[in-house]
Amino acid sequence: MLEWKQINGSWYCYKDGTIVKGWIQDENKRWYYLNPANGMMATGWTQIDSRWYYSYTEKTEKDGDTHYVGEMATGWTQIDSRWYYLYTEKTEKDGDTHYVGEMATGWIQLDSRWYYLYTKTTEKDSDTHYRGEMATGWTQIDAKWYYLYIETREKDGNTHYRGEMATGWIQLDSIWYYLYTETADSHYKGEMAVNTTIDGWIIDSSGVATLNSQPGNITDTARCIYSFFVKKGWTSNSICAMLGNMQGESGIVADMNEVGGGGGYGLVQWTPKSIITNWANQNGLDYRTVDTQCKRIQWELENGQQFFATRAYPMNFRQFTQSTADPTYLAKVFINNYERPYNPNQPQRGVWAENWYNTLAD
């Protein structure tokens, strides 16, 4: 039976009348560290054999359990507003053995999610980050950039937690980036893509992705448009229905004036042309590009513009973008509710919509 005594404000542990030194586990399976020289109980950070451990400095409620002063912490632990991970079990990593309670550094995988803990004190974003602290935001590791979520976020139907490494497409401050989803010969999982083209998006040396404004052919353009609206949450059915209509309107060419001089312009032949040119100029955008015109369509959706339900097709714009009805039917919805030409009976648009669905949809 262990006996604890407080002497001059410090705690000491005795077993059978003899002072305990080093590690000791109490009857409740809690670990404490007593100074090997004098037996004084450690609190806060303690370095033992080049490894760091943390002992609670005050009684703490965490994960539905009560942790006492001096008790060794394990798992995620917040210290001075910073998060650290202390191993919960003996772990082999990077050719080394890490013990229960030891502070983790570098990359760690927990429940199939990757996190990064600083390996040394680092200055970043006008703040000092300490060894073992969990990284968030853009972080450069071995000359490569990664993004660690700064807050819990819902994406692609999944919950991603603060500090978790992001993969795939992410949008930050209206800018798109791509983080590789798998490790390959040329890159690591989670690494930010640079100087490449992915899904029809051109990615520059800073990782910023923009839609290719001059794709090589109609299929390239369609892939760019499809990629843009998939990221906005549209269904494949609705995107391909719109593509079928774009093919009828402009041949899916962004910088296209209406044939015959009718005044229309662009992918969906905005009439008059000033609808797209004025909007683009007001937003500092190039009206001739696929990217700008896709942004305009998304803006119309978000602001209740252009698309209006009809008696024959009582579907609003938001419902259209979320519909899983067949592309042929949705092509009719789009031409009647969005394009509204003099003659809406154009079945070829439904054929094109089905073709795009067979080409682009998973």
Side-chain angles (χ1 to χ4, degrees):
M1 185 72 177
L2 301 179
E3 180 184 6
W4 291 94
K5 294 182 180 181
Q6 190 175 33
I7 303 172
N8 297 326
S10 299
W11 285 95
Y12 298 82
C13 181
Y14 292 83
K15 184 176 182 180
D16 299 329
T18 302
I19 192 169
V20 177
K21 298 178 181 180
W23 287 109
I24 185 69
Q25 188 178 38
D26 69 8
E27 60 274 13
N28 294 311
K29 307 298 182 182
R30 306 176 189 276
W31 284 98
Y32 298 82
Y33 185 74
L34 297 310
N35 190 303
N38 57 21
M40 183 187 299
M41 184 185 73
T43 59
W45 288 108
T46 303
Q47 188 176 32
I48 304 168
D49 298 329
S50 301
R51 305 171 190 274
W52 285 96
Y53 300 81
Y54 184 79
S55 304
Y56 289 102
T57 59
E58 60 185 359
K59 187 177 179 181
T60 302
E61 299 295 326
K62 177 187 155 204
D63 302 331
D65 198 4
T66 302
H67 302 278
Y68 298 95
V69 174
E71 179 188 343
M72 181 188 74
T74 61
W76 286 112
T77 302
Q78 190 175 31
I79 304 166
D80 297 330
S81 300
R82 305 171 189 273
W83 285 96
Y84 299 81
Y85 185 77
L86 299 309
Y87 287 104
T88 58
E89 60 184 1
K90 187 176 179 180
T91 302
E92 299 294 327
K93 174 177 169 274
D94 302 329
D96 196 7
T97 300
H98 302 278
Y99 299 99
V100 174
E102 179 187 342
M103 182 187 76
T105 62
W107 288 108
I108 59 168
Q109 188 177 28
L110 303 170
D111 298 327
S112 301
R113 306 170 190 272
W114 285 96
Y115 301 83
Y116 184 77
L117 299 311
Y118 288 104
T119 58
K120 60 182 179 181
T121 298
T122 302
E123 298 295 327
K124 176 186 158 216
D125 302 331
S126 301
D127 196 5
T128 300
H129 301 277
Y130 299 103
R131 186 171 185 265
E133 178 188 341
M134 182 186 76
T136 61
W138 285 113
T139 303
Q140 190 175 33
I141 304 165
D142 298 330
K144 302 178 186 298
W145 285 96
Y146 299 81
Y147 185 77
L148 299 311
Y149 288 104
I150 60 175
E151 60 186 357
T152 298
R153 178 174 174 178
E154 299 295 325
K155 175 177 173 277
D156 302 330
N158 295 311
T159 301
H160 300 279
Y161 298 104
R162 187 170 189 265
E164 179 186 342
M165 181 187 76
T167 61
W169 287 104
I170 59 168
Q171 187 179 32
L172 304 170
D173 298 326
S174 300
I175 297 174
W176 284 98
Y177 302 87
Y178 185 78
L179 298 311
Y180 288 106
T181 58
E182 299 292 341
T183 295
D185 292 340
S186 60
H187 55 257
Y188 295 101
K189 182 177 182 179
E191 178 188 338
M192 182 185 75
V194 296
N195 298 322
T196 187
T197 299
I198 297 175
D199 295 339
W201 290 65
I202 299 173
I203 302 175
D204 66 16
S205 60
S206 299
V208 175
T210 56
L211 273 175
N212 187 349
S213 61
Q214 295 181 327
N217 55 51
I218 185 175
T219 302
D220 289 341
T221 310
R223 289 188 189 281
C224 290
I225 296 166
Y226 183 86
S227 177
F228 181 96
F229 289 103
V230 162
K231 293 180 180 64
K232 296 297 184 182
W234 291 39
T235 63
S236 297
N237 308 53
S238 63
I239 300 169
C240 293
M242 182 172 63
L243 283 169
N245 275 276
M246 287 179 175
Q247 189 165 350
E249 293 288 328
S250 64
I252 315 187
V253 177
D255 191 16
M256 173 64 71
N257 288 302
E258 185 174 351
V259 176
Y265 178 80
L267 292 169
V268 292
Q269 292 291 287
W270 284 278
T271 305
K273 181 178 180 179
S274 59
I275 292 175
I276 181 64
T277 58
N278 290 347
W279 181 85
N281 291 334
Q282 290 167 6
N283 289 277
L285 301 171
D286 183 349
Y287 70 86
R288 299 167 298 178
T289 69
V290 173
D291 187 42
T292 293
Q293 295 184 23
C294 286
K295 287 177 178 176
R296 166 68 194 195
I297 294 169
Q298 183 67 22
W299 179 88
E300 291 170 343
L301 165 64
E302 294 169 357
N303 289 274
Q305 300 293 312
Q306 188 62 36
F307 191 110
F308 302 103
T310 57
R311 180 176 297 179
Y313 299 96
M315 183 182 292
N316 63 35
F317 208 169
R318 182 69 63 183
Q319 291 168 333
F320 170 82
T321 67
Q322 301 304 301
S323 178
T324 56
D326 70 82
T328 299
Y329 173 78
L330 291 178
K332 295 177 182 177
V333 174
F334 194 85
I335 194 173
N336 280 273
N337 294 6
Y338 183 96
E339 295 289 357
R340 301 188 298 279
Y342 177 76
N343 176 23
N345 183 25
Q346 300 183 39
Q348 182 60 41
R349 297 190 182 202
V351 175
W352 286 327
E354 288 289 346
N355 289 341
W356 287 121
Y357 185 84
N358 293 332
T359 301
L360 301 175
D362 292 334

